[in-house]
């Protein structure tokens, strides 16, 4: 069954005039073209093709692009080609264009240690390399730091500071952690938001979490819902955020219910595992 494919063809030519770009658009108008510059500086042409297989889509795209290039006077060879499904292209476009970064202060909060200890840890030979050196200090990719922490042997350093939690705090943290692992083990495709109404919901059980509901929206993003008049619930979320166990993204009120979208931090996962 035919499906839509996105094919980007890189031609071995640079410094193309605006007139040529316009001509390419005209010749490829039926393929929804996007003409630009590849990271290498070469001319890049992306078009959409309906085809049953990747091979058929690639052959058709090469034929369309090279023919259009010749009509505009471009006779340079193809330097590269990338083919993905339209669905995969949409998923990539939904991802943040800039990865989440952290400095020493953020790493200290993630690890539950002081800034001085965090500054020592980032000097380790097996710690991920900094992606930039600013006046404020080195900057790292957050996902690499999280991966390091999972295999980090803490026995050589000071243990993390204990976190004082109420019974409600512990129950909320445990429920969030359960929702987090539920979507990690059987959730939607990473990077693809779960459609509204299809979040994997884990209802609060027991007297402590009466009226609560939890859901995993997508990997990393959770939500907690509680009655709007439950002031202890709002206080629990505030305490967890202040202890850097969760990171609150948005909060909204629907009818008589408060819905909070948040992320469980690495520190929050670690503390939840001890509850």
């Amino acid at each position: 069954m035919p499906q839509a494919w996105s094919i980007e063809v890189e031609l071995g030519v640079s410094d193309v005039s605006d007139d040529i770009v316009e001509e390419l658009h005209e010749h490829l108008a039926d393929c929804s073209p996007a003409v630009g510059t590849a990271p290498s500086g070469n001319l890049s042409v992306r078009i959409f093709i309906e085809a049953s297989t990747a091979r058929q889509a690639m052959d058709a795209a090469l034929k369309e692009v090279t023919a259009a290039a010749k009509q505009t006077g471009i006779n340079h060879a193809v330097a590269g080609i990338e083919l993905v499904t339209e669905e995969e292209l949409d998923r990539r476009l939904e991802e943040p264009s800039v990865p989440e970064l952290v400095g020493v202060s953020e790493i200290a909060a993630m690890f539950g240690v002081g800034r001085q200890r965090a500054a020592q840890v980032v000097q380790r030979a097996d710690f991920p390399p900094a992606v930039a050196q600013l006046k404020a200090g080195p900057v790292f990719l957050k996902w690499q730091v999280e991966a390091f922490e999972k295999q980090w042997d803490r026995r050589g350093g000071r243990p993390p500071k204990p976190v004082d939690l109420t019974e409600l705090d512990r129950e909320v943290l445990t429920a969030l952690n359960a929702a987090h692992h539920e979507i990690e083990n059987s959730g939607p495709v990473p990077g693809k938001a779960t459609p509204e109404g299809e979040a994997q919901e884990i209802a609060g059980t027991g007297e402590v979490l009466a009226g609560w509901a939890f859901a995993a929206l997508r990997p990393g993003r959770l939500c907690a819902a509680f009655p709007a008049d439950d002031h202890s619930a709002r206080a629990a979320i505030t305490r967890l955020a202040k202890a850097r166990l969760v990171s609150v993204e948005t909060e909204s009120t629907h009818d008589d219910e408060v819905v909070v979208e948040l992320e469980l931090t690495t520190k929050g996962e670690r503390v939840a595992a001890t509850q």
Side-chain angles (χ1 to χ4, degrees):
M1 181 178 179
Q3 65 173 318
W5 299 84
S6 168
I7 306 96
E8 182 177 7
V9 180
E10 182 179 334
L11 300 173
V13 60
S14 57
D15 298 326
V16 176
S17 68
D18 292 341
D19 290 339
I20 290 180
V21 171
E22 289 182 10
E23 284 188 55
L24 282 173
H25 272 284
E26 291 175 3
H27 292 307
L28 296 169
D30 294 337
C31 302
S32 303
V35 182
T37 304
S40 62
N42 288 332
L43 179 67
S44 168
V45 181
R46 180 182 294 278
I47 63 174
F48 289 86
I49 295 289
E50 291 276 347
S52 299
T53 67
R55 184 69 179 184
Q56 291 174 354
M58 185 176 295
D59 290 344
L62 285 172
K63 182 179 179 180
E64 291 283 351
V65 173
T66 54
K70 287 181 180 179
Q71 289 177 311
T72 58
I74 300 175
N75 296 309
H76 293 72
V78 172
I81 185 169
E82 181 190 41
L83 176 144
V84 296
T85 63
E86 186 175 27
E87 182 181 12
E88 172 61 15
L89 178 64
D90 290 341
R91 186 193 69 79
R92 294 183 183 184
L93 293 175
E94 288 177 1
E95 295 179 345
S97 57
V98 178
E100 193 168 359
L101 304 175
V102 292
V104 175
S105 295
E106 289 79 11
I107 292 171
M110 290 169 62
F111 290 3
V113 300
R115 194 179 189 285
Q116 184 176 0
R117 174 59 177 153
Q120 294 173 344
V121 174
V122 301
Q123 296 297 323
R124 290 170 54 115
D126 59 342
F127 197 82
V131 295
Q133 289 285 344
L134 308 179
K135 288 184 178 181
V139 178
F140 305 86
L141 291 173
K142 184 178 181 180
W143 71 267
Q144 290 184 343
V145 175
E146 291 174 335
F148 167 82
E149 187 187 14
K150 290 180 179 178
Q151 54 82 37
W152 177 32
D153 183 359
R154 287 173 169 264
R155 289 175 296 180
R158 187 170 53 189
K161 298 177 182 178
V163 180
D164 186 20
L165 300 176
T166 67
E167 182 182 4
L168 176 59
D169 297 344
R170 287 194 296 270
E171 293 292 340
V172 171
L173 189 63
T174 299
L176 288 171
N177 193 45
H180 171 71
H181 287 293
E182 177 72 18
I183 200 169
E184 272 197 340
N185 296 332
S186 60
V189 177
K192 192 77 172 179
T194 302
E196 185 177 354
E198 295 183 16
Q200 300 183 21
E201 184 172 319
I202 299 178
T205 58
E207 295 182 8
V208 177
L209 292 182
W212 284 75
F214 303 87
L217 304 177
R218 60 178 182 271
R221 181 61 66 90
L222 310 169
C223 84
F226 52 85
D229 60 355
D230 189 343
H231 301 297
S232 62
R234 188 183 300 274
I237 294 294
T238 300
R239 286 192 297 270
L240 292 175
K242 187 175 181 179
R244 295 195 171 110
L245 303 181
V246 301
S247 173
V248 176
E249 302 296 328
T250 63
E251 179 180 321
S252 57
T253 301
H254 303 284
D255 298 327
D256 296 327
E257 183 180 61
V258 175
V259 178
V260 181
E261 289 192 22
L262 45 77
E263 292 186 12
L264 190 64
T265 66
T266 303
K267 180 181 177 183
E269 288 185 64
R270 186 172 62 251
V271 172
T274 66
Q275 300 304 307

